[in-house]
Amino acid sequence: MTALLYRGHTYEAAPSAPKVCVELTYRREHDNTCRQELLREGQRTLTYRGVTYTK
C-alpha cells in the first residue's frame, strides 16, 4: 500500500471494496457496469436515431 504524507502525518489508504456488477436500465435499454461481462458478449451494435454503429 502507498503511504500518504500530509502536513507531517502519514496515512494509509483504506482497502477498496470488491466491485459489484449493477445492471442499469434506461428507456428499456440495459447496460452492465462490469466491463469484463461486456467483453464476453463480443461486438456490440449501437443504434442512434436510426443509424447503426459497431463498437
Side-chain angles (χ1 to χ4, degrees):
M1 288 231 172
T2 304
L4 305 172
L5 181 66
Y6 178 71
R7 293 190 177 185
H9 300 284
T10 56
Y11 300 91
E12 286 192 24
S16 62
K19 186 175 179 181
V20 178
C21 296
V22 177
E23 186 171 331
L24 306 172
T25 305
Y26 179 72
R27 292 188 180 180
R28 290 184 250 151
E29 294 291 327
H30 298 279
D31 190 27
N32 199 318
T33 57
C34 291
R35 290 280 179 193
Q36 294 170 350
E37 290 183 15
L38 289 175
L39 292 175
R40 277 190 252 140
E41 291 180 12
Q43 247 182 0
R44 294 187 75 180
T45 56
L46 305 172
T47 305
Y48 178 72
R49 294 189 178 181
V51 180
T52 303
Y53 299 92
T54 303
K55 188 173 181 181

